């Protein structure tokens, strides 16, 4: 029999990985486990009392680990003999996805077989017992991890260290919350050249380091950029608008990063510009002009990143927040997301760049409806008009837990962050030069502001055709394996 399932654990991936390798945690998680001791070489000896239908037996057995990819995945083989009852064996493939700094998605696949008297019980009874054991195990394991995470030190939110972000990958983990110690791929040289990133000035770096309102966390080649003013629904201050270009420049230069997710802390993406500081920073015409330049510089920096970007939209996404979202390549929304551009309620005109992006996304009539009406619209409407590309729960694969399917309930859908990360992993695996080139061409065509330089487009296409990755892609196809792209 085969079972699939997943569990969301409120702990960093490293902590979950340690728990998965800790004999004490495993013993406390395995139902009926009387003893479990390490026997070297990723193996444990165990004694487990288990009831399968009418048969109750003590199984003496062995747990062994294989395919160990710390801290991401392993296969756990559990095999035990229960004397006259027969034997049971299960191969459990476990993988850990670092969704957020303190949120890990554990996915598992179990293949189980029984023999002897147990096999005579019938597959339905054996399946039910195996499912119950897996359910109990992961419920107990989740509780163990929660207890460990609660007991451990809580990392203070940190402002991004741009020098570390932009520098050697090894330095990133300490500064931004962890790279999980994975090997960094070689530089995406072509991608960097395509974007022509500007170096962050010392003032910019100082400005960002002084702020805790935009956080950056990198894992599995994906940078998660979080707007972090949840009590103000992540409303953007002038300082935040100004600090984003330096962050994007640093991510552009960072070899580790292959894709970027932009999200908001708490339940919202962003309620737009911080109106409460308008009296100080956006009062007269000159200030308003400078303010708009800062907004455009921020959004252009996001749009101009040669690496693919996905906005993860939960709760409110209004005004300047909508501009941030539109500056990303793709927008994944939660079903509860609420959109709107209330400029006509504040008597301001949405900027040229934001208006252009809106027009490119939704077309003339919808852009007028949104701007003139200044009304809010929901995720379903946003998907219908093309403002967002995917809504969690709408059109997403039903990858629910096995017990919900087993009990015939509607399968839960992956949440928006998990969907976005899954997609970002695909982006991170694809050829960086190809994505950077397609992005430059599409954005240039969509913006229509002379942003697409025909000579540059030709140069990008020629560089991709001459790249090592082009040869690698063809070789991988011929050898029927996944390509390993280097970005050059
Ligand atoms: N600027 C500054 N502060 C904002 C803000 C913004 N754009 N959006 C929300 N906040 C603050 C609120 O002032 C409030 O602060 P307080 O607790 O100190 O009073 C806090 O965030 C929570 O918002 P609140 O209005 O109490 O929540 P709500 O659920 O009733 O409404 C919104 C949420 C987002 C609909 C509402 O706050 C709103 O309309 N904000 C302005 C949106 C806007 O016009 N954006 C475009 C700006 S160009």
């Amino acid at each position: 029999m085969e079972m699939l399932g997943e569990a969301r654990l409120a702990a960093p991936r490293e902590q979950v990985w340690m728990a998965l390798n800790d004999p004490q945690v495993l013993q406390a998680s395995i139902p009926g486990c009387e003893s479990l001791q390490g026997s070297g070489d990723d193996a444990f000896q165990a004694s487990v009392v288990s009831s399968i239908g009418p048969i109750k037996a003590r199984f003496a057995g062995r747990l062994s680990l294989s395919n160990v990819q710390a801290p991401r995945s392993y296969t756990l083989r559990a095999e035990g003999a229960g004397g006259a009852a027969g034997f049971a064996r299960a191969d459990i493939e476990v993988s850990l996805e670092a969704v957020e700094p303190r949120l890990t998605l554990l996915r598992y696949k179990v293949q189980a077989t029984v023999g002897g008297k147990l096999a005579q019980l019938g597959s339905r009874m054996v399946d039910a017992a195996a499912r119950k054991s897996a359910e109990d195990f992961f419920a107990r394991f989740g509780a163990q991890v929660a207890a460990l995470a609660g007991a451990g030190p809580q990392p203070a939110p940190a402002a991004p260290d741009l020098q570390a972000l932009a520098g050697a990958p090894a330095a990133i983990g300490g500064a931004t919350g962890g790279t999980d110690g994975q090997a960094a791929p070689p530089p995406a040289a072509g991608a960097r050249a395509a974007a022509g990133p500007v170096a962050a000035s010392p003032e910019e770096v100082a400005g960002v380091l002084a702020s805790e309102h935009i956080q950056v966390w990198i894992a599995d080649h994906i940078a998660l950029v979080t707007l972090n003013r949840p009590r103000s629904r992540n409303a953007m201050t002038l300082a935040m608008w100004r600090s984003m270009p330096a962050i994007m420049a640093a991510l552009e230069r960072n070899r580790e990063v292959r894709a970027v997710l932009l999200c908001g802390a708490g339940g919202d993406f962003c309620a737009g510009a911080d109106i409460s500081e308008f009296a100080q920073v956006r009062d007269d015409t000159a200030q308003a002009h400078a303010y708009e330049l800062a907004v455009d510089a921020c959004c252009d920096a996001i749009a101009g990143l040669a690496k693919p970007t996905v906005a993860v939209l939960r709760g409110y996404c209004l005004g300047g927040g909508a501009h941030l979202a539109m500056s990303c390549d793709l927008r994944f929304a939660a079903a509860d997301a609420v959109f709107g551009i209330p400029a006509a309620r504040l008597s301001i005109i949405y900027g040229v760049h934001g208006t252009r992006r809106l027009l490119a996304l939704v077309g003339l009539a919808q852009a007028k409806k949104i701007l003139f009406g200044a009304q809010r619209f929901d995720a379903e409407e946003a998907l219908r008009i093309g403002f967002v590309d995917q809504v969690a729960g709408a059109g997403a694969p039903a990858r629910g837990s096995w017990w919900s399917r087993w009990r015939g309930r509607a399968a839960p859908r992956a949440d928006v962050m998990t969907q976005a990360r899954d997609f970002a992993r695909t982006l991170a695996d694809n050829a960086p030069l190809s994505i950077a080139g397609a992005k430059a061409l599409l954005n240039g065509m969509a913006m229509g502001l002379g942003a697409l330089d025909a000579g540059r487009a030709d140069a990008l296409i020629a560089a991709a055709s001459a790249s090592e990755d082009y040869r690698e892609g063809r070789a991988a196809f011929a050898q029927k394996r996944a390509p390993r792209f280097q970005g050059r």
Side-chain angles (χ1 to χ4, degrees):
M1 66 156 304
E2 186 174 305
M3 297 180 291
L4 293 173
E6 61 184 41
R8 297 167 69 77
L9 305 167
R13 180 165 63 180
E14 293 83 351
Q15 215 160 24
V16 179
W17 179 257
M18 278 163 59
L20 274 176
N21 287 274
D22 182 333
Q24 280 183 333
V25 174
L26 289 175
Q27 178 172 349
S29 306
I30 298 170
C33 185
E34 293 178 330
S35 69
L36 189 137
Q37 281 169 350
S39 56
D41 286 344
D42 288 339
F44 308 93
Q45 295 296 330
S47 170
V48 177
V49 175
S50 187
S51 296
I52 303 178
I55 300 176
K56 182 171 182 183
R58 174 172 284 109
F59 290 85
R62 185 169 186 271
L63 301 180
S64 55
L65 305 182
S66 58
N67 305 324
V68 178
Q69 306 277 332
R72 270 185 223 113
S73 58
Y74 67 35
T75 302
L76 175 69
R77 168 163 286 197
E79 42 198 345
F87 71 89
R89 188 175 70 216
D91 283 319
I92 307 164
E93 289 171 31
V94 181
S95 71
L96 301 179
E97 176 84 16
V99 181
E100 292 180 41
R102 299 187 63 78
L103 179 64
T104 302
L105 180 66
L106 182 155
R107 289 175 172 144
Y108 59 90
K109 181 172 151 188
V110 184
Q111 277 183 307
T113 49
V114 292
K117 210 181 207 182
L118 288 172
Q120 293 161 14
L121 287 173
S123 61
R124 190 176 288 183
M125 196 174 277
V126 174
D127 286 4
R131 286 191 173 109
K132 175 83 171 60
S133 297
E135 184 175 13
D136 286 354
F137 174 83
F138 285 103
R140 288 162 178 239
F141 181 74
Q144 295 277 317
V145 169
L148 288 172
Q154 305 289 319
D161 176 343
L162 286 200
Q163 271 145 352
L165 269 176
I172 297 165
T176 63
T179 60
D180 297 326
Q182 63 196 13
R192 294 204 313 281
V198 288
S201 70
E203 297 76 35
E204 284 172 323
V205 172
V208 172
L209 290 177
S211 161
E212 292 190 350
H213 294 150
I214 302 180
Q215 297 183 351
V216 182
W217 176 71
I218 299 169
D220 298 338
H221 308 304
I222 300 168
L224 181 68
V225 178
T226 305
L227 310 176
N228 187 39
R229 294 184 72 218
R231 270 180 292 181
S232 299
R233 302 195 184 276
N234 302 317
M236 293 284 288
T237 61
L238 181 56
M240 290 164 78
W241 293 117
R242 285 191 168 148
S243 61
M244 193 67 90
I247 293 173
M248 291 296 129
L251 293 178
E252 190 76 89
R253 288 193 299 271
N254 188 286
R255 302 169 177 196
E256 174 93 359
V257 175
R258 290 273 185 101
V260 176
L261 299 177
L262 179 63
C263 73
D268 298 288
F269 178 66
C270 172
D274 186 328
I275 304 168
S276 68
E277 64 169 12
F278 274 12
Q280 288 80 50
V281 301
R282 198 189 186 281
D283 197 20
D284 58 25
T285 316
Q287 276 190 336
H289 180 66
Y291 194 95
E292 289 313 310
L293 286 181
V295 171
D296 283 345
C298 167
C299 293
D300 291 353
I302 295 169
L305 193 70
K307 301 171 186 186
T309 51
V310 181
V312 182
L313 307 172
R314 294 182 281 220
Y316 286 109
C317 173
L318 302 174
H323 193 181
L324 286 171
M326 290 189 292
S327 305
C328 293
D329 297 317
L330 294 164
R331 283 146 295 282
F332 281 27
D336 73 344
V338 175
F339 304 89
I341 301 181
R345 295 247 163 222
L346 294 163
S347 194
I348 53 178
I349 297 177
Y350 211 50
V352 174
H353 294 209
T355 303
R356 177 75 69 168
R357 292 192 170 105
L358 180 67
L359 178 63
L361 278 184
V362 301
L364 187 59
Q366 288 295 345
K368 285 179 177 169
K369 188 176 173 209
I370 290 169
L371 290 175
F372 297 1
Q375 289 172 325
R376 295 189 199 144
F377 50 99
D378 62 16
E380 198 183 324
E381 172 75 353
L383 184 65
R384 191 184 68 75
I385 64 176
F387 189 86
V388 302
D389 307 288
Q390 188 160 314
V391 176
R399 199 190 47 222
S401 60
W402 58 262
W403 60 86
S404 60
R405 289 202 299 278
W406 177 50
R407 290 172 181 166
R409 290 195 208 132
R413 308 274 183 170
D415 78 307
V416 65
M417 180 60 84
T418 308
Q419 283 189 8
R421 276 202 85 84
D422 282 348
F423 190 69
R425 282 181 63 140
T426 304
L427 298 174
D429 285 343
N430 283 345
L433 295 181
S434 183
I435 292 179
K439 180 166 176 170
L441 266 59
L442 288 168
N443 281 359
M445 291 169 189
M447 290 300 278
L449 291 171
L452 178 62
D453 169 341
R456 183 171 165 237
D458 286 345
L460 285 168
I461 292 166
S465 299
S467 68
E468 282 177 33
D469 281 354
Y470 180 51
R471 288 198 291 281
E472 163 65 9
R474 282 178 296 167
F477 176 76
Q479 293 160 18
K480 299 188 189 304
R481 59 170 173 81
R484 289 181 293 273
F485 292 117
Q486 312 282 325
R488 59 175 180 241

